[in-house]
């Protein structure tokens, strides 16, 4: 075919959608320019708009919450529980008592650890509220052998540079609702109507993944299982190394779930007298990068005017932020490098 110009769509986009959908075992997927775009499109497909309330995990990256504002809706942030660090089902129930008719719930599977998704799905069903899973960090993680991102009405994945697999930048929206996914593809390509000329009846977005990125994604999907195995080995090595230090706990997960171990994170008991920032600095002095745990959304200047629901006197999400540290978890890290990280951390407790 001789075309008027270079065409950004092609076979890779369709194939990447099919392959990703097949990997997580869901009917449909739309490849988009970012995970954030996928969250935005999920809310649009659920008709989230001005005056609507959306319940949202507080302990997450801001990209989970920003699209609520893009749709002019109002977030209500929900605290974490201690067993997975994700949305607390009891706090969620409490939120439904205060706000009986939210438009949607969005939860995150933080650092690749699945949330108490089955419990939360039941609560959402009981209240007839659609659930969106921000699985940007948890591709490949499962609960009772079912993939995160496939429990709710919509699931979101990210292929940003820091994620377990990457297309340099990109995202995917998945669902078993074929019509809604088709509609998202339409909005994401500037809402161009089927006509010879350019015809628009709705506002559109330039949110589609490019064919080049999708090509990279197809290659990356082939190494996903390998990456998870490597990430798991890194997690296990840290876990073993800190086993005899009662002040350190690794980011926990439930027995019925299998994380993708995207990031190894530790929580440090206050009684140790060691602050996570002391460790961050000790590592930094050796040119090793570590990061604080996400600062909860309800503590962020841009979101602090919104309501926050918790059941504990001291919010779990705040405690995790204050006491947590994300450790080097790159799959390219060698065993020797990880041993160095471990010995620097151990020294902080001497
Ligand atoms: C990375 C990330 C996103 C956003 O994905 P992008 O592809 O960077 O837009 C959303 N939520 C969480 C929890 C993330 O970690």
């Amino acid at each position: 075919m001789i075309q008027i110009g270079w065409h950004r769509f092609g076979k890779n986009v369709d194939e990447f959608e099919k392959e990703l959908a097949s990997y997580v075992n869901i009917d449909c997927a739309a490849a988009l320019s970012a995970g954030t775009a996928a969250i935005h499109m999920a809310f649009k497909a659920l008709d989230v708009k001005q005056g609507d309330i959306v319940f949202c995990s507080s302990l997450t990256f801001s990209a989970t919450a920003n699209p609520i504002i893009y749709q002019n809706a109002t977030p209500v942030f929900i605290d974490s529980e201690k067993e997975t660090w994700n949305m607390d089902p009891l706090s969620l129930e409490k939120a439904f008592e205060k706000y009986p008719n939210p438009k949607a719930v969005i939860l995150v599977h933080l650092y690749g650890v699945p949330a108490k998704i089955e419990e939360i799905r039941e609560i959402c069903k009981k209240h007839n509220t659609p659930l969106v899973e921000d699985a940007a960090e948890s591709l490949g993680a499962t609960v009772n052998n079912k993939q995160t991102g496939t429990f709710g009405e919509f699931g979101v994945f990210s292929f940003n540079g820091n994620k377990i697999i990457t297309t340099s930048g990109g995202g995917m929206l998945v669902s078993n609702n074929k019509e809604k996914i088709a509609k998202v593809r339409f909005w994401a390509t500037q809402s161009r109507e089927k006509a010879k000329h350019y015809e628009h009846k709705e506002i559109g977005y330039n949110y589609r993944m490019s064919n080049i990125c999708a090509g990279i994604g197809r290659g990356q999907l082939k190494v996903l299982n390998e990456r998870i195995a490597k990430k798991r080995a890194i997690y296990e090595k840290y876990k073993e190394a800190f086993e005899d230090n009662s002040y350190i706990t690794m980011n926990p997960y439930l027995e019925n779930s299998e994380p993708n171990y995207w990031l190894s994170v530790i929580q440090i008991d206050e009684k140790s007298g060691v602050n996570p920032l002391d460790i961050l600095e000790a590592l930094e002095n050796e040119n090793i990068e570590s990061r604080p745990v996400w600062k909860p959304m309800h503590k962020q200047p841009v979101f602090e005017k919104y309501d926050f629901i918790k059941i504990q006197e001291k919010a779990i999400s705040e405690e995790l932020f204050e006491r947590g540290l994300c450790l080097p978890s790159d799959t390219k890290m060698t065993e020797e490098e990880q041993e160095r990280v471990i010995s620097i951390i151990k020294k902080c407790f001497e």
Side-chain angles (χ1 to χ4, degrees), residues 21-245:
S22 148
Y23 183 92
V24 300
N25 198 12
I26 202 159
D27 290 349
C28 315
L32 302 171
S33 54
T36 312
I39 297 169
H40 186 191
M41 289 295 97
F43 289 150
K44 192 169 163 64
L46 291 170
D47 194 32
V48 170
K49 54 183 186 306
Q50 189 147 23
D52 288 337
I53 282 170
V54 177
F55 294 160
C56 177
S57 303
S58 188
L59 190 70
T60 186
F61 179 44
S62 64
T64 314
N66 281 332
I68 301 170
I69 310 296
Y70 302 165
Q71 288 299 101
N72 298 309
T74 305
V76 168
F77 295 109
I78 313 288
D79 200 17
S80 299
E81 34 79 3
K82 279 187 170 155
E83 289 163 292
T84 77
W85 298 6
N86 291 304
M87 185 182 276
D88 174 26
L90 296 173
S91 298
L92 178 64
E93 283 278 26
K94 192 174 167 188
F96 272 110
E97 281 164 28
K98 189 164 179 187
Y99 305 97
N101 291 305
K103 198 62 172 275
V105 174
I106 181 162
L107 68 71
V108 67
H109 301 287
L110 208 62
Y111 302 127
V113 174
K116 293 185 173 176
I117 187 71
E118 289 176 327
E119 260 176 79
I120 286 172
R121 185 169 64 168
E122 284 314 305
I123 295 168
C124 289
K125 269 203 183 126
K126 194 171 81 190
H127 294 276
N128 244 320
T129 306
L131 174 64
V132 179
E133 288 176 84
D134 180 347
E137 301 178 357
S138 70
L139 177 60
T142 57
V143 175
N144 291 325
N145 292 319
K146 188 172 161 65
Q147 294 277 329
T148 57
T150 65
F151 287 85
E153 265 66 24
F154 291 100
V156 169
F157 298 106
S158 166
F159 311 108
N160 191 36
N162 61 341
K163 299 305 195 286
I164 194 154
I165 60 167
T166 177
T167 60
S168 80
M172 194 79 81
L173 183 68
V174 301
S175 176
N176 283 317
N177 189 323
K178 208 173 169 175
E179 284 104 63
K180 288 267 168 77
I181 290 291
K183 192 76 203 215
V184 165
R185 288 196 194 105
F186 169 79
W187 288 326
T189 42
Q190 308 284 21
S191 296
R192 196 182 162 194
E193 299 289 337
K194 282 199 178 79
K196 293 276 183 220
H197 63 281
Y198 283 84
E199 177 80 8
H200 303 280
K201 295 178 184 161
E202 289 182 67
I203 291 298
Y205 301 83
N206 182 7
Y207 273 176
R208 205 70 163 116
M209 184 181 281
S210 78
N211 197 49
I212 291 172
C213 289
I216 298 169
R218 295 181 69 190
Q220 288 274 294
L221 206 48
K222 294 198 176 81
V223 300
L224 175 56
N225 290 342
E226 227 170 274
R227 291 259 165 93
I228 295 172
K230 186 76 209 291
K231 291 274 192 189
R232 183 183 171 152
I234 290 167
Y235 178 96
E236 299 291 349
K237 194 175 172 79
Y238 279 130
K239 189 170 178 165
E240 203 187 302
F242 301 135
E243 213 127 59
D244 55 1
N245 187 330

